[in-house]
Amino acid sequence: MTEELPGLDLDRLRAHVEREVPGLVSGELSGTRITGGKSNLTYVVTDGVGSWVVRRPPLGHVLATAHDMSREYKVMTALRDTAVPVPRTYLLCEDTEVLGAPFFVMEHVAGTPYRTAAEFSALGPDGVRGVARSLITTLGDLHAVDPADVGLSDFGRPEGFLERQVRRWSKQLDASRSREIAGIDELHKKLGATIPESGEAAIVHGDYRLDNVLIAEDGSLTAVLDWEMATLGDPLVDLGLMLVYKEQPVIDDAATPATSVEGFPDSAELVEMYATTTGRDVSRLGWYVAFGCFKLAVIAEGIHYRYSQGLTVGAGFDTIGQIVPLLVDRAHTMLKEDQD
């Protein structure tokens, strides 16, 4: 018996897939929702023979451009034959009459998204370190892809990328304002006044972190997921945000970051690994970490807003609003270090 799946009508999905990709599905569908994410809704569906993943935006209040199904679908399709592991894509549907929102269907890749310290530490220190190396190597592989070679030369505008990003996330914040957040407007101004000069542009994932990749039993990375914020721009925003997640604020001891376990390199070593792998200048990475804090604070505030409106699906949303001021404080600290 299939669980209740808010946002997914299996009969309508099956009819649409049978029409658009004949032969992919061979029977009645059942499904489950993948928990753990706080953004797009993700489901695994099966006909008893094969299984696939369906992605759609969250229910209710959605920030403009923040849940772009076509963007995710396009970049994963383009990266299929590169060194970056991505799921095979089957179908993009932008007709909201089918499921009430755009969605896409992709391959169900085997692997584990490590979200908790308890899960990740079971690999042992050597296994954990191996995963960290794979994370950095894969990030370097992504940033080495020539966008033109994979048909993504029009995927973004690298010129003025950082300036636009600072403005964009300020606008996203305005779209979710429901309370006062000390220091966040000052943070936005400081970020805009201290923007670094970008190096060579690359494909940017936009939310690169441990639990947005799948890891096989042997520690290899089988797929990079959650490409909804991908674009062309300054690749150091990926590394900066990865470091924000590495040392993210902990509200609940049960939510201690998986990257805190024994064997996972500290931030300085991760930066060194990336610089060695890519040859990029990381001397102003403090700014990128501060920007990552700002971006994540805005995302968290948007989720907090949806939670306060009763529009989130699943558990774990009740404390996310407490993270926002902690991220703002860390961003101010990183900017001060960057300017000293």
Side-chain angles (χ1 to χ4, degrees):
M1 181 176 178
T2 299
E3 65 178 81
E4 184 179 352
L5 299 172
L8 182 64
D9 184 315
L10 290 171
D11 292 335
R12 294 179 69 86
L13 173 66
R14 177 186 172 188
H16 185 77
V17 172
E18 287 178 337
R19 210 167 37 243
E20 299 296 322
V21 192
L24 183 65
V25 174
S26 59
E28 184 177 351
L29 294 176
S30 61
T32 57
R33 190 175 70 86
I34 298 176
T35 60
K38 298 291 189 291
S39 185
N40 285 334
L41 298 176
T42 306
Y43 316 84
V44 176
V45 298
T46 179
D47 61 2
V49 179
S51 62
W52 305 270
V53 170
V54 179
R55 290 266 287 172
R56 59 149 290 163
L59 307 178
H61 174 77
V62 175
L63 295 176
T65 76
H67 305 276
D68 192 334
M69 296 294 99
S70 62
R71 195 162 200 83
E72 247 188 304
Y73 187 86
K74 180 176 182 177
V75 71
M76 285 193 295
T77 303
L79 291 171
R80 181 179 301 172
D81 296 323
T82 70
V84 183
V86 290
R88 180 179 178 183
T89 52
Y90 293 105
L91 166 71
L92 170 68
C93 177
E94 297 183 279
D95 181 0
T96 59
E97 294 299 313
V98 180
L99 294 183
F103 69 93
F104 65 84
V105 180
M106 65 181 178
E107 175 187 11
H108 183 207
V109 179
T112 300
Y114 286 104
R115 294 191 173 99
T116 69
E119 292 172 334
F120 198 31
S121 62
L123 296 181
D126 290 342
V128 165
R129 187 169 181 79
V131 169
R133 280 196 297 268
S134 293
L135 271 175
I136 294 297
T137 299
T138 300
L139 187 60
D141 288 339
L142 171 63
H143 294 163
V145 173
D146 185 332
D149 288 346
V150 294
L152 292 178
S153 56
D154 62 346
F155 197 57
R157 293 180 293 130
E159 299 80 11
F161 171 75
L162 293 178
E163 289 89 345
R164 290 195 308 277
Q165 282 285 295
V166 172
R167 288 199 305 271
R168 172 193 172 182
W169 289 101
S170 178
K171 290 179 181 178
Q172 301 286 46
L173 173 64
D174 290 340
S176 295
R177 282 185 188 269
S178 61
R179 57 180 182 161
E180 288 297 316
I181 304 167
I184 199 165
D185 292 315
E186 180 187 3
L187 172 59
H188 164 238
K189 291 177 183 177
K190 285 184 177 179
L191 285 167
T194 57
I195 291 173
E197 182 177 346
S198 295
E200 183 180 0
I203 300 169
V204 173
H205 179 277
D207 195 22
Y208 194 77
R209 53 194 167 108
L210 178 62
D211 61 339
N212 273 346
V213 303
L214 298 178
I215 305 297
E217 289 185 5
D218 65 0
S220 61
L221 198 157
T222 59
V224 180
L225 307 174
D226 292 5
W227 294 87
E228 64 193 81
M229 290 188 283
T231 189
L232 301 186
D234 189 329
L236 291 185
V237 297
D238 276 342
L239 182 61
L241 187 59
M242 183 179 171
L243 297 183
V244 175
Y245 284 118
K246 167 72 176 74
E247 298 178 10
Q248 64 184 301
V250 177
I251 300 299
D252 180 350
D253 288 342
T256 300
T259 50
S260 66
V261 305
E262 182 182 359
F264 202 89
D266 62 20
S267 294
E269 187 174 358
L270 288 171
V271 172
E272 183 180 354
M273 290 166 65
Y274 178 85
T276 301
T277 299
T278 64
R280 290 184 180 269
D281 179 5
V282 295
S283 59
R284 289 209 54 198
L285 196 61
W287 186 93
Y288 294 88
V289 175
F291 171 70
C293 289
F294 179 61
K295 176 178 172 178
L296 188 56
V298 173
I299 292 170
E301 190 63 14
I303 296 169
H304 170 75
Y305 181 87
R306 290 204 303 275
Y307 170 77
S308 69
Q309 300 295 307
L311 296 172
T312 51
V313 176
F317 294 95
D318 54 329
T319 60
I320 198 162
Q322 299 175 43
I323 294 173
V324 176
L326 301 179
L327 287 166
V328 172
D329 288 346
R330 183 180 174 198
H332 280 291
T333 298
M334 295 306 300
L335 279 181
K336 186 175 186 304
E337 292 179 2
D338 174 61
Q339 295 302 301
D340 285 348

